[in-house]
Amino acid sequence: MAPLFMPSGAAAVSFRGYTLVTPVVSVGNVGQLTVDLIISTLGLPRVGYIHSDCLVPVVGNNPYATTLENSAEICTSSEVYASTDQKLAVLQIRSPIVQGKQRSFRQQLLSWIKESEFSRVVVLSSSYAHHRVDQQLVGTPLRYLATPALLSVVGDKFQTLKWKEMEKVPAFPGISEVEMELSVPGGGITKSLYADSCTEGIPLAVLLIFCSEGDNIPDALNLLNFLNEWIQLIEKTNDRQPMTQQQWKIPSSWQLLFGSGIPSALF
């Protein structure tokens, strides 16, 4: 059964022809941090949320508050933000999938994607840096995957951008003469979501970065610049230089990203 999309207002919301950007819960939460930057920078309004029993329930204050008045607005575990002008929808997922319900959530998500008739889907993910094989240790930490349905639309766009496709690795590490397979350690449902999308003919791309747990803000900015090379969320001032942190708007909730500091009463 598809998850129930609940619009924020009384009017129905149509995503036909829109681009959908969504994170996958993965190492360092880089996908979610990247989506935070997109929503905050573009000032995307919330248009609804996804109701699914596959996600751990979460509730909190507005993470993108700009005034005292809107800071008290409630946010939940999975909300949808959209821009009519850019035909862009962003699904932010703020909680992990309930254990044992990964497959159900993938089915629900893909069912909603097909029903909504998105023109393309971009999944933002990450993978453990310490699991890289030799050929992944040199050069950029960024990789992509694209389904046949998307490649039939974008053609050689990724080759033009000189992006590196995620390499396949030996099914049994250390043994070269074995079957090669796709592996995304630390990537949550990334691999299975990509495989399902290939089977079901969904035009989907996975953009991911190799990283470790810690301060993952630089990784989020790196992944966002990677995305912006393909989908121009904001116009680059210099084609030869990546976007700087100052050109992306940091959400107010990031002030407490590493806690509220050490209480002065301890000293």
Side-chain angles (χ1 to χ4, degrees):
M1 186 182 76
L4 182 62
F5 173 76
M6 302 293 293
S8 296
V13 180
S14 173
F15 297 117
R16 186 175 185 181
Y18 277 48
T19 295
L20 173 66
V21 178
T22 182
V24 164
V25 179
S26 53
V27 54
N29 298 314
V30 178
Q32 287 95 327
L33 293 173
T34 305
V35 165
D36 269 352
L37 288 167
I38 295 172
I39 295 169
S40 182
T41 300
L42 300 181
L44 299 180
R46 183 178 59 189
V47 295
Y49 66 93
I50 297 295
H51 175 70
S52 172
D53 63 352
C54 298
L55 293 174
V56 175
V58 165
V59 66
N61 286 5
N62 180 9
Y64 314 114
T66 54
T67 65
L68 186 62
E69 288 73 21
N70 66 18
S71 64
E73 294 177 1
I74 297 297
C75 78
T76 60
S77 59
S78 55
E79 296 183 314
V80 181
Y81 300 77
S83 166
T84 304
D85 294 337
Q86 293 183 279
K87 299 202 78 172
L88 173 71
V90 178
L91 168 62
Q92 177 62 297
I93 299 174
R94 299 190 176 93
S95 67
I97 301 172
V98 175
Q99 187 173 0
K101 291 197 173 186
Q102 287 84 356
R103 182 178 180 183
S104 295
F105 181 69
R106 294 197 318 268
Q107 292 174 339
Q108 290 180 358
L109 181 60
L110 292 177
S111 178
W112 175 63
I113 287 171
K114 288 189 287 187
E115 288 179 3
S116 300
E117 298 184 71
F118 290 107
S119 63
R120 57 187 175 183
V121 181
V122 184
V123 174
L124 303 176
S125 184
S126 51
S127 183
Y128 283 124
H130 63 272
H131 277 272
R132 287 175 293 176
V133 295
D134 290 348
Q135 65 264 39
Q136 295 171 335
L137 294 172
V138 179
T140 177
L142 297 156
R143 294 292 188 277
Y144 82 93
L145 289 165
T147 64
L150 180 66
L151 290 175
S152 67
V153 177
V154 301
D156 61 354
K157 177 66 175 179
F158 300 139
Q159 284 74 26
T160 303
L161 291 171
K162 297 181 179 179
W163 283 7
K164 294 190 69 173
E165 188 174 7
M166 186 68 169
E167 300 89 346
K168 290 186 177 181
V169 299
F172 299 96
I175 304 176
S176 57
E177 296 179 1
V178 294
E179 182 181 352
M180 304 294 281
E181 65 175 12
L182 179 66
S183 178
V184 189
I189 64 169
T190 300
K191 177 182 173 180
S192 52
L193 184 62
Y194 169 73
D196 288 347
S197 298
C198 288
T199 302
E200 299 189 30
I202 294 174
L204 176 143
V206 175
L207 307 190
L208 63 84
I209 186 170
F210 295 115
C211 67
S212 302
E213 296 282 3
D215 180 0
N216 294 104
I217 292 176
D219 299 310
L221 290 164
N222 204 356
L223 187 60
L224 182 52
N225 284 324
F226 190 47
L227 171 65
N228 200 60
E229 289 179 18
W230 173 30
I231 300 173
Q232 294 290 310
L233 300 171
I234 63 176
E235 188 175 351
K236 295 177 67 174
T237 55
N238 188 332
D239 289 337
R240 296 184 179 182
Q241 297 293 329
M243 304 288 288
T244 63
Q245 180 171 329
Q246 288 71 30
Q247 291 170 285
W248 300 108
K249 183 179 178 182
I250 304 299
S252 56
S253 56
W254 283 21
Q255 296 175 18
L256 300 176
L257 200 59
F258 301 104
S260 55
I262 301 173
S264 57
L266 290 177
F267 304 100

